[in-house]
Amino acid sequence: MADKTPFEPDDSAGTSGMRRGLTSYGDQGFSLFLRKAFIKGAGFTDAALDRPVVGIADTGSAYNPCHGNAPQLIEAVKRGVMLAGGLPMAFPTISVHESFAAPTSMYLRNLMSMDTEEMVRAQPMDAVVLIGGCDKTVPAQLMGAASAGLPSIQLITGSMLTGSHRGERVGACTDCRRYWGKYRAGEIEAEETADVNNQLVASVGTCSVMGTASTMACIAEALGMTMPGGASPPAVTADRIRIAEQTGAQAVQMARDGLTIDKVLTPAAFENAMRVLLAIGGSTNGIVHLTAIAGRMGLETDLAALDRMGRDTPVLLDLKPSGQHYMEDFHHAGGMATLLRELKPLLHLDAMTVTGRTLGEELERAGPGFRQHVVRSMADPIYPQGGIAVLRGNLAPGGAIIKQSAADPKLMEHEGRAVVFENIEDLVTRIDRDDLDVTPQDVLVLKNIGPKGAPGMPEAGYIPIPRKLARAGVKDIVRISDGRMSGTAFGTIVLHVTPESAIGGPLAYVRSGDRIRLSVANREIALLVSDEELARRAEAMPVVEPSAERGYLKLFLQTVTQADQGVDFDFLRAPKSAGKVPR
Ligand code: FES
């Protein structure tokens, strides 16, 4: 019978396209017959179904304005796929926005990565386009795609436009924090906070400064996972739509060439991404996410080596919060090509990208640079070392980090008295009380906001300046926690203290009145309390690790790793080690 052949899964078309991953009915031919029957219910022809299939992970959501352009992007990706002879198939996955996820978006990043991995694996597709933008979405998609192993290409939603408040240019979210700080200090009235609230987010798209979203966009391009120039176009521009079309077309080519994600996510690619993270003054969250993505490829992040890399990688990108510009300015300055050209001597130019060409070949194709003011030269950096420094000491045996490029130089060598908050509730209750015993020379310590403690390692590490100090004009104070902070935040803030307090890390045993020494020059964070005294405290007050009876929270608490392993679930990391990065 002539019409039987199209339903044989091992016919000349092999196991590509709609023939991939057939549902288990115990009869492969029937599985394909049934699949085709159902999809034909949506009006598809056999000619369409014989094309290479490109899945498009749709993370549009009414709860995610950072992805508000997803419908336009999907339309453009589909156009690109069809122009290149493929069949586009959009499918939904979890979408996570920073301000609409309780207790914190980080709690859901791994769930989104599992969703992405399993839907990419379960559904028939030869390549996948990952549409992400808001902070946790790009890492979640790269983690999931890395584990799924298909040809994969990242499409960034793009940054929002900046707004204008009473003649001043503003953008989320560095300016959100700045204006809120002014309000807390009594410098502006409630009426002005309402006015500026209308201007901080001037369009759909991701935060307009070098926050986590912009950081991950730059990292994705540095990893070779986006089209060249894919990191910087703002969400509402024609450039962004053109990148989307190119992304769709390239996904078809990747499917034809068998350019799987493991050929792109190599140790060299991760080292390039780490260089870029340091050179852009990127979000501290970038380390956690890169560590998690690398972990899916069997690569462990060597924090000491990363710190050494930071010592000869200056911050070149003049964007808030480390500098003064916004993402749209970076785009006008040539975007990542301008930055990578400057960083060229420090990069692995032979690293493969999703185009099938190396990073070096793409830089050649990008042509010469031009005069601009957003990316500095190596000879004239905005900060002489990488944006992030790794600290160690008896308070953080597994490491801690500080964004030195956004810290107060006067506080980076500092010893002070600890003022301890046991958890977020304690902080909220006491931080603004007039009788809080605190001075600008003290060190604020917040416990129990690590991966298990909060849970989900929320961005509460940006501990607010106590109101009475803020009103006295204090703009910065040393702060320490086992949590994270937004990439849009700034200050002398030590984060990711590992191991976290909730599992009995030394941070759990700090008491108000203890002395703490921070020396960024020596990469040290020290609790000036003897080991014997700490052991006595641990014995007197043993830590009970958080647990849950059921559900995702139970899975989370039982399997989440510490910051030095990317806060991924242990069972999602690659089973075999492939070495360390940077090497
Ligand atoms: Fe989505 Fe900032 S809240 S990128």
Side-chain angles (χ1 to χ4, degrees):
M1 298 250 292
D3 61 346
K4 194 176 174 204
T5 306
F7 307 116
E8 289 297 337
D10 58 346
D11 66 10
S12 59
T15 51
S16 62
M18 282 294 162
R19 291 169 174 80
R20 289 180 76 103
L22 291 170
T23 312
S24 301
Y25 292 118
D27 178 342
Q28 298 285 77
F30 176 68
S31 297
L32 185 58
F33 173 78
L34 204 59
R35 175 175 288 174
K36 284 194 165 184
F38 276 111
I39 196 119
K40 282 177 181 173
F44 286 83
T45 62
D46 278 319
L49 298 177
D50 278 342
R51 290 182 166 203
V53 177
V54 173
I56 305 169
D58 175 5
T59 50
S61 161
Y63 288 105
N64 195 345
C66 298
H67 295 200
N69 59 344
Q72 290 86 356
L73 293 180
I74 290 170
E75 189 188 318
V77 172
K78 285 182 171 175
R79 186 166 66 239
V81 170
M82 287 193 281
L83 283 169
L87 174 65
M89 296 288 288
F91 62 97
T93 71
I94 291 173
S95 186
V96 185
H97 183 277
E98 286 305 291
S99 300
F100 291 91
T104 169
S105 62
M106 187 65 169
Y107 178 63
L108 298 167
R109 183 201 62 179
N110 297 349
L111 185 64
M112 183 176 172
S113 85
M114 290 167 75
D115 181 6
T116 304
E117 175 183 347
E118 296 306 330
M119 295 318 285
V120 166
R121 208 197 298 280
Q123 301 172 130
M125 61 188 81
D126 300 300
V128 61
V129 173
L130 308 158
I131 300 182
C134 195
D135 294 16
K136 305 304 175 294
T137 58
V138 171
Q141 291 183 320
L142 290 175
M143 290 158 70
S147 297
L150 285 189
S152 311
I153 183 167
Q154 184 78 54
L155 175 60
I156 303 296
T157 58
S159 61
M160 62 183 68
L161 300 179
T162 51
S164 179
H165 170 66
R166 300 185 183 178
E168 189 195 349
R169 193 180 184 202
V170 292
C173 226
T174 304
D175 297 321
C176 310
R177 295 175 197 288
R178 196 162 54 80
Y179 272 91
W180 190 249
K182 283 185 179 200
Y183 176 59
R184 279 177 57 80
E187 292 171 19
I188 61 173
E189 300 296 328
E191 190 191 356
E192 187 173 350
T193 62
D195 285 351
V196 76
N197 192 256
N198 283 330
Q199 300 304 323
L200 287 162
V201 179
S203 75
V204 296
T206 57
C207 287
S208 53
V209 299
M210 190 43 74
T212 305
S214 303
T215 300
M216 292 311 300
C218 295
I219 280 179
E221 186 167 344
L223 282 170
M225 286 300 302
T226 71
M227 289 304 289
S232 62
V236 297
T237 58
D239 280 348
R240 175 54 64 198
I241 301 293
R242 266 189 288 277
I243 288 285
E245 184 187 301
Q246 292 167 359
T247 300
Q250 188 56 37
V252 178
Q253 194 57 46
M254 292 172 74
R256 291 198 171 115
D257 294 345
L259 184 53
T260 45
I261 194 166
D262 57 310
K263 298 182 177 110
V264 179
L265 292 184
T266 58
F270 283 105
E271 285 171 11
N272 286 341
M274 286 170 174
R275 283 279 181 207
V276 164
L277 171 65
L278 294 161
I280 60 179
S283 163
T284 46
N285 292 322
I287 289 187
V288 178
H289 297 320
L290 255 181
T291 299
I293 301 163
R296 298 298 184 98
M297 304 306 292
L299 296 165
E300 198 179 314
T301 298
D302 183 339
L303 285 174
L306 179 70
D307 187 69
R308 285 196 295 279
M309 185 186 256
R311 289 175 191 261
D312 61 13
T313 313
V315 177
L316 301 181
L317 188 52
D318 190 3
L319 250 62
K320 290 188 176 195
S322 297
Q324 52 174 326
H325 295 289
Y326 294 88
M327 272 305 271
E328 61 194 87
D329 307 319
F330 180 38
H331 183 55
H332 295 152
M336 284 292 285
T338 305
L339 180 85
L340 295 173
R341 211 178 278 118
E342 204 55 50
L343 280 179
K344 217 170 165 182
L346 300 176
L347 297 173
H348 299 292
L349 297 173
D350 56 349
M352 179 53 63
T353 77
V354 287
T355 62
R357 292 180 288 271
T358 65
L359 189 69
E361 287 169 333
E362 289 300 347
L363 270 179
E364 286 302 313
R365 286 166 66 97
F370 52 88
R371 254 176 78 87
Q372 46 78 41
H373 306 288
V374 181
V375 179
R376 300 274 192 90
S377 69
M378 294 283 266
D380 178 32
I382 74 158
Y383 194 79
Q385 296 188 354
I388 297 167
V390 179
L391 309 172
R392 284 198 196 267
N394 66 343
L395 191 51
I401 57 164
I402 185 167
K403 189 170 184 175
Q404 53 179 342
S405 59
D408 182 344
K410 294 193 290 295
L411 289 173
M412 291 207 290
E413 304 299 314
H414 184 82
E415 185 186 313
R417 184 186 65 140
V419 175
V420 175
F421 299 92
E422 292 298 326
N423 49 43
I424 290 179
E425 293 72 35
D426 184 28
L427 177 81
V428 170
T429 308
R430 293 195 294 125
I431 188 80
D432 285 340
R433 282 173 51 160
D434 286 336
D435 62 354
L436 181 70
D437 180 12
V438 65
T439 72
Q441 288 74 42
D442 290 338
V443 175
L444 304 183
V445 174
L446 176 56
K447 302 178 183 176
N448 289 306
I449 61 164
K452 294 194 184 191
M457 205 180 179
E459 292 184 341
Y462 183 68
I463 304 167
I465 309 281
R467 195 185 294 268
K468 72 182 196 184
L469 297 185
R471 289 207 164 126
V474 175
K475 300 285 184 221
D476 198 5
I477 183 168
V478 176
R479 288 158 269 184
I480 300 174
S481 74
D482 45 12
R484 298 175 302 115
M485 77 171 180
S486 163
T488 62
F490 46 89
T492 312
I493 300 174
V494 177
L495 302 155
H496 309 184
V497 168
T498 304
E500 64 173 303
S501 52
I503 63 167
L507 189 69
Y509 306 111
V510 182
R511 291 181 182 167
S512 286
D514 290 347
R515 306 287 298 173
I516 291 179
R517 184 172 63 231
L518 167 68
S519 171
V520 179
N522 294 331
R523 301 295 197 259
E524 182 192 36
I525 183 73
L527 176 62
L528 305 181
V529 171
S530 69
D531 291 347
E532 295 73 32
E533 170 60 15
L534 283 178
R536 266 196 296 279
R537 291 180 189 179
E539 204 178 314
M541 201 182 59
V543 162
V544 179
E545 286 195 27
S547 62
E549 288 288 315
R550 63 165 297 280
Y552 179 67
L553 180 59
K554 182 172 181 173
L555 176 76
F556 189 98
L557 292 174
Q558 285 181 344
T559 64
V560 75
T561 58
Q562 294 289 288
D564 58 350
Q565 295 203 315
V567 195
D568 200 0
F569 293 154
D570 55 12
F571 64 92
L572 293 176
R573 289 164 58 80
K576 279 199 193 123
S577 170
K580 292 187 173 189
V581 280
R583 292 163 292 185

